[in-house]
Amino acid sequence: MGAKGTRKRKLTVHILRDRLGLKPSKELIETLKKQNEIKNKIFKAIKDEAKTVPEIAKETGLDTTTVFWYLMTFYRHGLVEEVGKTDEGYFKYKLKR
Amino acid sequence: MGEIMEKILASAVEEKNEKEYDVLIIGGGIAGEEAALDLAEMGFKVLLVEKEPSIGGHMFLLSKVFPTLDCASCISTPRMAAVAHHPNITLMTYSEVKEIEKRGEGDFRVKILKKPRFVEESLCTGCAQCESACPVIVPKEYDFGLRGRKAAYIPFDTAVPKIAVIDIDHCIFCGQCEIACPVGAINFLQKPKIIKVKVGAIIIATGYKLFPIGRKKEYMFGKLANVITSMQMDRLLAPTRPYNAVLRPFDGKEPMNIAFVLCAGSRDRTVGNPLCSQVCCMYSIKQAQLLMGALPLADITIYYMDIRAFGKGFEEFYQQAKDMGVIFIKGRVAKIEPAENGDVVVYYEDIENGGRLKKAVHDLVVLSVGLLPNPDIAKAFKNVKLELDEYGWIKPKDENTNPVETSIPGVFAAGCIVGPKDIPDTVVEAAAAAAHVAAYLKEVRG
Ligand SMILES: Cc1cc2nc3c(=O)[nH]c(=O)nc-3n(C[C@H](O)[C@H](O)[C@H](O)COP(=O)(O)OP(=O)(O)OC[C@H]3O[C@@H](n4cnc5c(N)ncnc54)[C@H](O)[C@@H]3O)c2cc1C
Ligand code: SF4
Ligand code: SF4
């Protein structure tokens, strides 16, 4: 059923899903779980303080490539902003309010 | 395409009525756009079919163009808009030509599969609220995987048309996009359609695909984050770039010592492509110059076999790069290996110093990948044969005197599907193909 029970109309996505018996694959669900974990870790790390990719990686235990890839995805979706740059050539990023 | 989309496409229903156009153009890159505009201006009714969600081909993704260094999207975006708004051009994006039958001169019957975006084109305003709401992230094709997009997404900031698409194969059917859309544009019940058209002539402008450089194992593409392709570098340098600056994918650091490896997947029999891709030398020199502007303190090295600077202003462009301080080393790169902190070791044969094997460490390596043809369209011809050469490029009727006529009278070709070439040559060929179509239609229609 649709959002919060207030919506009477069944969403077209659910009609299609039921009609064709569609289910997201196990891999997709696993990937989504991992993505949510990564997102939460990164957001927590840069919520109050701007940090570089190596700093975020160290704090979250994720590798720098993963941190940077997600950070740039969030940056382009307008969730993260850059705040200055270090002498070593790393930008600092912070969660947008 | 994944299993779910395949299942949905299998249910496509053929529309009853047949529409008629003077010309069908297949492929909406700069070649297809220019040919469409030329013919539309002459008064012909044109149908332009593009398989991706947006027209623009490779050009609208580029940073600047050699040798003038004009902004690529500033040139291509107005052309794309002109195509979309011209009263004589009908645009079908996210669509594939499935069948072409020649019934006679000036009479081609074509079947086109219109894939569902699961978004009503007439309602979507391109606001991207569906994208913000969608929880699933997948690599973004238009940024060549450098960052992610959502399963509900706007293909590109400057896409034409700027209409959302649902990637049904990565959808978890949560409905968030549908709830978020302020205009009720999302419709998962949208069906694929097979549209029948009758046209007088056809132009094939399906362009090129990049050489899959992962095939050359020695270059470690896909294994080392700081080994990227030239197309990815063009994206990093473009105003619509995926990052906030030119940065290394390994850790987001500004690169200070960048290497270009020319002829990656070209002039190389070991990977099945002995041909020169014609544009790699110049686009690499372009990128090197742009990098010197973006990162004034960075060292830029180009490893090359020969520099093929054959066009107007190209030699001067090459000399200009040398004067700016770009280092040119004549030598084929044998292999690439990882070094510390994401750096990369390049092993090369130093031809000018006796051919000894040498190595150098760089903090970012760009593989100047070659071009391969997009010849799948040849399979759509049912009762006539579209001749391709041994590598899959379209074989013109006469390479010297008639480069845009194909083996089928009434079917013409333009741009990189005939062979690798730069944008000015592509545009000239598109204009030639349009003129040939006009002459052909005049002849067969009397
Ligand atoms: C990294 C890089 C940098 C470059 N830089 C420059 C530069 O600075 N200056 C310059 O002059 N040139 C440059 N080039 C070359 C330039 O990209 C080409 O000359 C130009 O894009 C060719 O245009 P086209 O329309 O022939 O092909 P494309 O741009 O490939 O367009 C073909 C279109 O056809 C569509 N298509 C394919 N198959 C089908 C099908 N079956 N049905 C429907 N549609 C289909 C594709 O989706 C695409 O939209 C560069 C190339 C690369 C790789
Ligand atoms: S229904 Fe699919 S496309 Fe829409 S938000 Fe959910 S996962 Fe994304
Ligand atoms: S589908 Fe709806 S939410 Fe998504 S871009 Fe279009 S109008 Fe906006």
Side-chain angles (χ1 to χ4, degrees):
Chain A
M1 202 40 220
K4 296 173 191 133
T6 50
R7 186 181 287 265
K8 294 248 166 14
R9 186 175 63 90
K10 193 169 176 183
L11 295 174
T12 62
V13 65
H14 295 151
I15 301 175
L16 179 81
R17 180 197 60 191
D18 298 346
R19 201 181 273 171
L20 299 184
L22 300 177
K23 253 202 309 215
S25 67
K26 273 200 190 113
E27 295 98 284
L28 186 56
I29 296 294
E30 279 309 307
T31 309
L32 191 61
K33 276 189 199 153
K34 248 186 245 156
Q35 284 182 349
N36 282 337
E37 270 170 39
I38 293 170
K39 182 176 164 181
N40 291 339
K41 282 182 180 172
I42 295 178
F43 280 12
K44 191 170 161 233
I46 57 170
K47 196 166 140 262
D48 300 317
E49 201 189 327
K51 290 180 185 143
T52 65
V53 171
E55 284 165 355
I56 304 168
K58 204 168 161 203
E59 190 172 323
T60 57
L62 299 164
D63 64 79
T64 53
T65 309
T66 304
V67 168
F68 185 55
W69 194 85
Y70 280 96
L71 209 51
M72 286 302 102
T73 303
F74 303 141
Y75 174 80
R76 280 288 168 222
H77 285 142
L79 303 173
V80 165
E81 60 189 341
E82 66 177 73
V83 189
K85 196 171 69 175
T86 67
D87 291 344
E88 292 80 43
Y90 289 103
F91 281 91
K92 282 180 173 271
Y93 301 94
K94 194 167 182 290
L95 197 62
K96 259 193 193 169
R97 291 258 163 229
Chain B
M1 194 193 308
E3 258 175 51
I4 298 179
M5 189 61 156
E6 263 178 28
K7 189 171 173 181
I8 290 170
L9 291 184
S11 69
V13 182
E14 208 168 288
E15 289 206 333
K16 284 210 173 64
N17 56 338
E18 188 177 61
K19 295 186 180 115
E20 205 170 326
Y21 300 90
D22 294 313
V23 192
L24 165 69
I25 299 180
I26 309 169
I30 187 69
E33 289 161 11
E34 288 296 317
L37 286 168
D38 280 2
L39 283 160
E41 282 300 300
M42 290 183 227
F44 292 103
K45 295 278 178 211
V46 178
L47 173 64
L48 178 59
V49 176
E50 166 60 52
K51 73 173 168 47
E52 299 297 334
S54 172
I55 55 168
H58 287 93
M59 185 180 172
F60 90 124
L61 304 173
L62 299 178
S63 52
K64 298 196 175 188
V65 291
F66 62 74
T68 56
L69 294 186
D70 288 320
C71 158
S73 53
C74 308
I75 305 169
S76 53
T77 315
R79 310 301 287 161
M80 290 157 69
V83 166
H85 295 122
H86 202 293
N88 285 342
I89 301 176
T90 303
L91 188 57
M92 273 178 70
T93 50
Y94 215 39
S95 300
E96 287 171 21
V97 172
K98 287 292 175 196
E99 245 182 74
I100 305 172
E101 187 196 343
K102 184 171 182 180
R103 296 246 177 114
E105 290 312 327
D107 182 357
F108 294 87
R109 305 301 167 104
V110 183
K111 288 185 184 169
I112 302 160
L113 171 67
K114 188 160 174 44
K115 296 179 273 188
R117 285 174 182 260
F118 305 106
V119 173
E120 294 298 340
E121 300 194 8
S122 59
L123 295 178
C124 176
T125 59
C127 71
Q129 293 196 37
C130 50
E131 179 151 17
S132 299
C134 177
V136 184
I137 301 175
V138 277
K140 187 172 174 73
E141 296 83 350
Y142 281 104
D143 277 327
F144 299 87
L146 288 170
R147 68 164 176 110
R149 60 153 171 88
K150 299 291 190 67
Y153 67 107
I154 298 285
F156 201 72
D157 285 350
T158 56
V160 172
K162 196 172 174 186
I163 295 173
V165 191
I166 306 286
D167 172 355
I168 198 82
D169 288 303
H170 288 102
C171 178
I172 56 161
F173 314 108
C174 68
Q176 292 304 318
C177 54
E178 205 172 336
I179 294 165
C181 178
V183 294
I186 295 194
N187 177 11
F188 279 84
L189 302 178
Q190 205 176 48
K191 293 239 160 68
K193 286 184 214 157
I194 302 215
I195 292 164
K196 292 192 287 185
V197 297
K198 179 181 176 204
V199 298
I202 297 174
I203 295 178
I204 301 173
T206 53
Y208 65 91
K209 55 180 174 245
L210 297 171
F211 182 87
I213 195 62
R215 238 195 249 170
K216 193 158 174 83
K217 301 265 183 293
E218 307 88 290
Y219 286 177
M220 307 279 290
F221 178 74
K223 301 265 187 288
L224 302 180
N226 283 341
V227 176
I228 64 171
T229 68
S230 47
M231 199 67 214
Q232 290 177 315
M233 179 50 89
D234 240 291
R235 292 296 309 128
L236 291 184
L237 289 161
T240 51
R241 62 184 168 230
Y243 303 163
N244 54 313
V246 177
L247 302 170
R248 326 192 297 174
F250 176 76
D251 57 359
K253 185 172 155 294
E254 270 189 344
M256 294 309 283
N257 184 359
I258 305 165
F260 283 83
V261 177
L262 265 53
C263 301
S266 306
R267 304 172 69 194
D268 187 349
R269 285 193 185 278
T270 66
V271 291
N273 186 25
L275 304 182
C276 166
S277 291
Q278 303 215 20
V279 288
C280 316
C281 289
M282 295 315 292
Y283 74 55
S284 303
I285 293 173
K286 166 191 81 175
Q287 294 181 357
Q289 291 198 18
L290 295 175
L291 281 168
M292 298 222 97
L295 304 164
L297 300 180
D299 293 325
I300 317 281
T301 308
I302 295 186
Y303 295 96
Y304 71 100
M305 295 211 279
D306 332 89
I307 294 294
R308 297 192 162 167
F310 52 86
K312 187 174 154 193
F314 288 9
E315 182 60 26
E316 292 78 358
F317 195 59
Y318 171 34
Q319 292 306 329
Q320 183 175 303
K322 281 188 176 169
D323 294 343
M324 287 169 81
V326 177
I327 303 156
F328 285 83
I329 295 182
K330 190 172 172 70
R332 181 138 210 158
V333 169
K335 64 174 175 177
I336 287 172
E337 283 183 353
E340 286 198 351
N341 296 322
D343 289 353
V344 181
V345 196
V346 170
Y347 292 85
Y348 64 98
E349 189 192 0
D350 189 1
I351 293 176
E352 273 168 358
N353 291 301
R356 275 187 306 135
L357 192 67
K358 282 199 176 166
K359 64 176 182 177
V361 178
H362 296 276
D363 61 3
L364 184 66
V365 170
V366 182
L367 302 175
S368 298
V369 289
L371 277 49
L372 295 180
N374 259 336
D376 286 354
I377 195 65
K379 292 184 209 137
F381 287 89
K382 290 300 159 207
N383 59 344
V384 274
K385 188 165 188 285
L386 183 73
E387 295 283 350
L388 305 175
D389 71 15
E390 61 183 300
Y391 303 104
W393 305 98
I394 283 189
K395 194 171 171 183
K397 196 168 146 195
D398 187 318
E399 198 88 50
N400 298 313
T401 59
N402 212 339
V404 298
E405 256 184 65
T406 70
S407 54
I408 308 167
V411 178
F412 304 85
C416 281
I417 185 58
V418 188
K421 57 181 62 71
D422 63 12
I423 293 160
D425 285 355
T426 296
V427 170
V428 169
E429 225 169 68
H436 274 262
V437 164
Y440 171 79
L441 288 178
K442 189 162 178 238
E443 191 189 317
V444 299
R445 289 174 175 176

